[in-house]
């Protein structure tokens, strides 16, 4: 239903090149006609190609959410006031600038690009758990932390520090570095370990972490809400049962408005622990030569070549 051609392709052949080369080689190749389509470009390539009248750039972003978990069993993070202060202190707009627009700031687990997006849940997060430096400082003072001459907060002679697990590639590394700078301004010492993505999930699942980046991508909210917890100690057994029952109720609800309301309620269940922090959604683009006709790019980022000529 998304394409017109239901018969043989108009193309005699398609050559696919898996090109592990530097960005300059790819952009030059597209401009000179060595390639017709680049299925993925980074922001540096985006800037270079966006000024070329012979090149078309299309958004091929699939609905996704990049977020991180805070370990409630970790020494300093066991205090909900500390976790909440970390959430309040983060400036996603500054992170976006650091990443040169490679992502969109997000304030909910279910983003506007997904089905049954709840504006109420996002508004709550924005108002209560984001962009409030003074509120973060007040929470840390209430928790008993005092600033020392080295610029860090201490309690009972121990510095307020935690370790953040970031992926060894992609925007996660830059975001972690910007988080580190932002938290240092209010006296929190965040160290960073960059490791392969699958080891991050293993360590979170094994409860061997302080905080760690995670990602899920799907347009259907139930799949996000069913799998967003990797730390199985994030809630009590009873708490997880209540959460899962609510997700199941949402999955079985046929009425769109009621389902959206339930999606909002489920996220409030997540936010009440101040242990899961939505950060951003990665943005992806493709680029192709203007003389390519009939390429279909859908709203969920899928590319169809059936009508290309």
């Amino acid at each position: 239903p998304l394409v017109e051609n239901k018969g043989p392709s108009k193309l005699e052949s398609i050559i696919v090149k898996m090109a592990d080369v530097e960005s300059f080689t790819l952009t030059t190749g597209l401009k000179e006609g060595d390639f017709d389509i680049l299925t993925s470009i980074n922001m540096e390539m985006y800037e270079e190609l966006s000024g070329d009248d012979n090149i078309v750039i299309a958004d091929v972003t699939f609905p996704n959410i990049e977020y991180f978990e805070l370990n409630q069993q970790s020494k300093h993070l066991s205090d909900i006031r500390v976790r909440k202060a970390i959430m309040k202190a983060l400036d996603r707009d500054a992170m976006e600038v650091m990443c040169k627009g490679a992502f969109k700031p997000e304030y909910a687990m279910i983003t506007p690009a997904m089905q049954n997006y709840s504006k109420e849940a996002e508004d709550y997060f924005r108002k209560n758990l984001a962009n409030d430096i003074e509120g973060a400082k007040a929470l840390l003072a209430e928790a008993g932390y005092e600033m020392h001459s080295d610029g860090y907060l201490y309690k009972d002679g121990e510095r307020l520090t935690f370790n953040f697990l970031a992926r060894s590639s992609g925007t996660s590394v830059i975001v972690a570095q910007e988080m580190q700078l932002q938290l240092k301004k209010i006296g929190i010492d965040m160290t960073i370990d960059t490791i392969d993505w699958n080891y991050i999930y293993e360590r979170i699942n094994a409860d061997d972490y302080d905080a760690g980046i995670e990602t899920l991508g799907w347009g259907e909210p139930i799949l996000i809400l069913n799998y967003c917890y990797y730390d199985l100690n994030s809630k009590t057994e009873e708490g997880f049962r209540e959460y899962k029952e609510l997700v199941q109720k949402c999955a079985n609800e046929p009425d769109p408005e009621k389902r959206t309301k339930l999606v909002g309620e489920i996220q409030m269940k997540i936010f009440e622990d101040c242990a899961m922090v939505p950060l951003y959604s990665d943005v992806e683009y493709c680029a192709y030569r203007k003389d390519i006709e009939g390429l279909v790019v859908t709203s969920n980022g899928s590319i169809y070549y059936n009508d290309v000529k």
Side-chain angles (χ1 to χ4, degrees):
L2 298 175
V3 297
E4 295 177 6
N5 179 36
K6 302 298 187 290
S9 171
K10 297 181 179 70
L11 303 176
E12 292 184 3
S13 64
I14 297 176
I15 299 173
V16 180
K17 296 183 178 181
M18 309 301 288
D20 186 15
V21 296
E22 58 188 30
S23 300
F24 175 77
T25 302
L26 293 174
T27 53
T28 301
L30 186 67
K31 288 180 178 180
E32 295 181 354
D34 297 332
F35 313 123
D36 294 307
I37 301 170
L38 294 177
T39 56
S40 179
I41 61 173
N42 59 33
M43 296 312 293
E44 179 184 348
M45 298 163 71
Y46 180 97
E47 291 179 9
E48 182 178 348
L49 294 171
S50 60
D52 194 315
D53 293 336
N54 294 315
I55 304 298
V56 177
I57 297 177
D59 188 334
V60 292
T61 302
F62 190 78
N64 69 93
I65 181 66
E66 297 265 352
Y67 63 102
F68 69 90
E69 283 195 64
L70 291 165
N71 189 351
Q72 298 176 70
Q73 281 71 49
S74 182
K75 185 167 186 177
H76 295 284
L77 303 179
S78 61
D79 190 326
I80 191 172
R81 293 170 295 187
V82 174
R83 301 195 302 273
K84 192 173 184 178
I86 290 170
M87 296 170 78
K88 281 177 170 286
L90 298 181
D91 182 348
R92 290 161 178 76
D93 293 332
M95 296 176 194
E96 184 182 18
V97 172
M98 286 290 289
C99 291
K100 299 180 179 180
F103 72 72
K104 294 186 295 185
E106 300 292 0
Y107 297 86
M109 296 299 293
I110 305 304
T111 73
M114 299 175 187
Q115 299 172 33
N116 301 111
Y117 157 72
S118 169
K119 187 176 184 301
E120 288 76 13
E122 178 174 323
D123 287 346
Y124 173 86
F125 193 96
R126 283 179 179 271
K127 181 179 179 181
N128 298 282
L129 297 171
N131 302 323
D132 183 7
I133 290 291
E134 295 307 315
K137 291 178 180 178
L139 282 168
L140 294 169
E142 181 184 317
Y145 289 90
E146 296 180 353
M147 188 71 72
H148 282 209
S149 58
D150 61 358
Y152 289 107
L153 292 166
Y154 286 78
K155 180 180 180 180
D156 299 328
E158 293 189 3
R159 178 188 289 186
L160 175 47
T161 182
F162 73 98
N163 181 256
F164 188 89
L165 301 178
R167 288 187 298 277
S168 53
S169 61
T171 53
S172 169
V173 179
I174 302 173
V175 167
Q177 292 171 345
E178 177 62 21
M179 283 176 58
Q180 185 181 54
L181 294 173
Q182 291 180 12
L183 293 176
K184 187 178 186 299
K185 289 179 181 178
I186 62 170
I188 297 177
D189 178 21
M190 186 185 101
T191 60
I192 303 171
D193 278 347
T194 54
I195 59 178
D196 195 62
W197 65 269
N198 55 313
Y199 292 120
I200 294 177
Y201 292 116
E202 286 182 11
R203 287 183 56 177
I204 292 175
N205 188 251
D207 213 25
D208 178 25
Y209 80 112
D210 292 326
I213 194 75
E214 300 167 5
T215 182
L216 285 168
W218 204 259
E220 164 58 63
I222 299 303
L223 293 174
I224 302 294
L225 299 172
N226 258 332
Y227 295 103
C228 58
Y229 283 101
Y230 286 89
D231 183 350
L232 301 181
N233 296 307
S234 285
K235 289 184 178 293
T236 63
E237 186 176 338
E238 181 182 355
F240 262 126
R241 185 173 64 253
E242 291 176 355
Y243 174 81
K244 289 291 187 180
E245 287 174 354
L246 197 55
V247 172
Q248 189 61 40
K249 179 181 178 182
C250 183
N252 294 329
E253 176 54 61
D255 185 282
E257 289 188 11
K258 292 180 180 178
R259 199 166 190 258
T260 298
K261 186 174 184 297
L262 285 168
V263 166
E265 291 177 12
I266 294 166
Q267 290 180 89
M268 295 302 292
K269 279 287 183 186
I270 293 173
F271 298 156
E272 69 183 11
D273 300 317
C274 293
M276 194 174 293
V277 191
L279 271 180
Y280 60 92
S281 56
D282 270 319
V283 176
E284 295 185 48
Y285 297 96
C286 77
Y288 58 94
R289 294 184 58 79
K290 198 172 185 178
D291 54 2
I292 297 295
E293 298 179 16
L295 192 70
V296 175
V297 180
T298 67
S299 59
N300 68 5
S302 299
I303 304 174
Y304 291 87
Y305 299 90
N306 303 53
D307 299 327
V308 169
K309 60 182 179 179

